Amino acid sequence: MHCHEVENCLEAFLDTELPATESAAVRLHLPTCTSCRNNLKELEAIRLMLRDNLATEAPTSLDSNVMRAFDRYYSGSAGVTKTRSRGSLFAISLPAFALGLLLVIAASLLAFYVGKRSAMAEVAATQRFDQASTKNEIEKEITSAKIDENDEREGRPPSRTASAGIDPRSENLRKPPMNLREGSVTHERVKPTSPARIAAQNTPVTSRLDLEGFTPVAEPKLKITRKENQKNAK
Amino acid sequence: MKRDLSNYIIERAASGDAEAFREIYFALRSPIYGFAYRMLNDAAKAEDIAQEVFIFFIEHSGKFDPERGSLFAYLCGVARNLVFAHLKKKRNHSETWLEEASEIESNGNGGSPLGLVLHRELSTKIGEKVASLPPIQREVIILRELCDLTYQEIAAVAETDVNTVKARLFRARRSLARELTPYLTSSEEKYHALPRS
């Protein structure tokens, strides 16, 4: 047997896996070849190192778990439950952790969105309330101005009843002024009693002066009122 | 280590004899656990796998056919399937090995403190080198050197043929020799003088 042949079967020789004839040939070759002897020595040393260092003793907790499982199985229980070792018991799998994290993020986003929406709704409600109150005041002023205009046309002294909170359509207001009621044909204008009334009489009814102090938010409504006024005049 | 268990003991264990089962368990627990531990380098997972192997035997002892091989090789095959299933799930097993290799304790060391330190250092180094092998080479080297299975048995456990086992063993040993020879040549005498278990 030559060196290269021995080299190829040295491991099997060491593992006692070589057929008897080949093993005998290696045995014959080794005393004559230093190189092959050294190779075998090295392989043996590595093998010894591995055998010495790879051996590991099983933990005692395994004994109790396995014996308990055996007893449970043969004592008539349906199946054997596997007891997880301490390291695995507290280990959380990655998908479970990711799912949990996603749920927390989704819940936070939902809470933020709901909170934002309710805050926006509150702001919008406040704005609507403000607009509505402004509009009501403007409408009230316009109604009062209309009444004044009608009064003026009919020769009555302008009365800001609407502003005073009196219904302009009430019976008393529809009655003509005292001088007309008593049969007078002259349509005398009643002298205004206060400077504000004088100003109100001399200025157009729907002018911005009348709305002084009110924000003309509802401009389109004012325009409609003018048309309506013109129609009434016709 | 007594691993040649008679068919009589196996049959008794399969029929519920606690004493027979204990005999089997204490003969095979360390190599089964050691195989799982060296393959995964995760003590907790190795314990789980060893437990599953023995529970498998308790529940399916009737499946074992003594004519096809030894009980130890059969249970090594079960452990191997569980290990590879775990490796498939967790591909980054090599990092944990390096983290925990320093915790490996060899058993029954008695000797000088220097000898113990050297032995522990060498043990860690060997653990790292074995861990750096590809799983199929690591598997055959562990089954051969730790579990002491024959080529035929390794082939049966690894679900391959004897020639493939020889080739894998050859590559694994060459690779380990390259890595570990410096430790041998520099301190061969020291190594041989070290206390052993």
Side-chain angles (χ1 to χ4, degrees):
Chain A
M1 217 178 209
H2 297 288
C3 278
H4 67 272
E5 288 171 311
V6 173
E7 236 177 78
N8 285 338
C9 57
L10 264 183
E11 289 187 37
F13 175 75
L14 196 68
D15 291 333
T16 60
E17 292 272 349
L18 213 58
T21 48
E22 286 179 46
S23 186
V26 172
R27 277 180 206 283
L28 278 174
H29 176 82
L30 282 173
T32 61
C33 180
T34 322
S35 166
C36 287
R37 262 205 320 275
N38 286 341
N39 281 344
L40 185 67
K41 222 174 162 184
E42 192 184 295
L43 272 174
E44 249 184 323
I46 287 180
R47 190 185 179 192
L48 194 63
M49 270 170 96
L50 290 171
R51 291 199 168 209
D52 279 354
N53 292 287
L54 290 181
T56 318
E57 196 62 42
T60 47
S61 55
L62 179 66
D63 304 349
S64 52
N65 288 339
V66 172
M67 289 306 165
R68 208 180 305 137
F70 182 84
D71 292 341
R72 208 174 294 159
Y73 186 76
Y74 284 103
S75 66
S77 312
V80 182
T81 49
K82 290 160 197 157
T83 315
R84 285 201 166 269
S85 60
R86 205 170 34 154
S88 308
L89 186 68
F90 294 105
I92 301 167
S93 67
L94 190 64
F97 178 74
L99 187 69
L101 194 67
L102 270 175
L103 280 173
V104 168
I105 291 168
S108 314
L109 281 174
L110 189 69
F112 175 74
Y113 181 69
V114 167
K116 198 178 166 185
R117 279 203 67 169
S118 65
M120 279 169 71
E122 203 176 320
V123 168
T126 315
Q127 280 178 352
R128 269 201 302 276
F129 177 77
D130 289 348
Q131 278 181 359
S133 53
T134 312
K135 218 188 271 180
N136 284 342
E137 283 172 12
I138 289 167
E139 277 172 4
K140 247 184 206 175
E141 193 62 26
I142 288 163
T143 317
S144 128
K146 265 189 200 171
I147 291 161
D148 282 356
E149 196 188 357
N150 287 337
D151 286 350
E152 192 184 340
R153 208 180 297 134
E154 289 167 16
R156 282 179 297 192
S159 56
R160 289 239 165 201
T161 46
S163 306
I166 303 162
D167 189 358
R169 288 163 294 186
S170 65
E171 260 324 294
N172 285 339
L173 288 174
R174 284 186 187 169
K175 284 177 187 171
M178 283 300 286
N179 55 347
L180 292 177
R181 236 188 283 163
E182 285 165 6
S184 169
V185 280
T186 53
H187 286 255
E188 263 185 1
R189 277 191 85 151
V190 178
K191 282 183 182 176
T193 52
S194 67
R197 288 199 174 196
I198 293 163
Q201 202 178 4
N202 294 334
T203 48
V205 176
T206 52
S207 77
R208 282 175 186 273
L209 284 169
D210 274 336
L211 304 174
E212 212 170 3
F214 299 101
T215 320
V217 180
E219 189 65 26
K221 183 72 182 171
L222 283 173
K223 280 178 186 172
I224 291 162
T225 314
R226 274 182 200 136
K227 280 177 189 172
E228 281 172 357
N229 284 339
Q230 280 170 1
K231 272 182 191 174
N232 290 337
K234 280 173 189 174
Chain B
M1 195 175 287
K2 192 188 167 190
R3 287 177 199 161
D4 297 324
L5 299 153
S6 69
N7 287 344
Y8 175 64
I9 291 177
I10 296 166
E11 278 171 21
R12 268 173 52 204
S15 62
D17 186 331
E19 273 308 306
F21 179 76
R22 279 179 77 86
E23 195 175 327
I24 291 169
Y25 171 73
F26 283 104
L28 306 182
R29 62 170 192 158
S30 283
I32 296 283
Y33 170 81
F35 170 73
Y37 177 67
R38 292 293 170 187
M39 285 299 289
L40 301 170
N41 196 47
D42 181 339
K45 195 65 209 168
E47 194 181 331
D48 282 346
I49 285 176
Q51 192 184 325
E52 279 183 54
V53 168
F54 285 104
I55 287 172
F56 179 85
F57 174 66
I58 293 167
E59 289 178 338
H60 307 100
S61 49
K63 282 186 181 175
F64 169 66
D65 181 6
E67 286 178 10
R68 290 177 66 187
S70 68
L71 178 66
F72 179 53
Y74 174 71
L75 295 182
C76 274
V78 176
R80 187 245 185 206
N81 289 341
L82 292 169
V83 162
F84 273 80
H86 181 72
L87 284 178
K88 264 186 190 173
K89 265 197 274 178
K90 188 184 173 186
R91 291 194 183 273
N92 57 343
H93 54 279
S94 53
E95 287 86 351
T96 54
W97 176 282
L98 291 172
E99 280 166 19
E100 293 176 21
S102 57
E103 291 172 21
I104 297 166
E105 292 286 340
S106 56
N107 353 312
N109 270 318
S112 67
L114 177 66
L116 280 172
V117 169
L118 280 172
H119 194 271
R120 198 169 292 176
E121 197 183 311
L122 192 67
S123 181
T124 307
K125 213 77 200 165
I126 290 166
E128 286 172 9
K129 298 302 171 197
V130 171
S132 67
L133 292 172
I136 49 168
Q137 288 181 26
R138 199 188 320 159
E139 172 191 34
V140 292
I141 204 89
I142 293 169
L143 288 173
R144 177 67 207 145
E145 306 300 359
L146 176 72
C147 302
D148 207 19
L149 294 187
T150 63
Y151 288 1
Q152 192 69 48
E153 285 174 324
I154 296 170
V157 169
E159 294 166 353
T160 185
D161 56 88
V162 172
N163 286 331
T164 310
V165 169
K166 277 183 188 173
R168 285 179 187 172
L169 260 179
F170 180 80
R171 279 197 290 270
R173 278 177 174 151
R174 287 281 167 255
S175 177
L176 285 173
R178 257 199 315 275
E179 301 283 345
L180 298 172
T181 305
Y183 297 95
L184 282 177
T185 49
S186 63
S187 60
E188 199 171 349
E189 291 82 17
K190 268 191 222 167
Y191 177 74
H192 285 296
L194 287 176
R196 301 228 160 69
S197 53

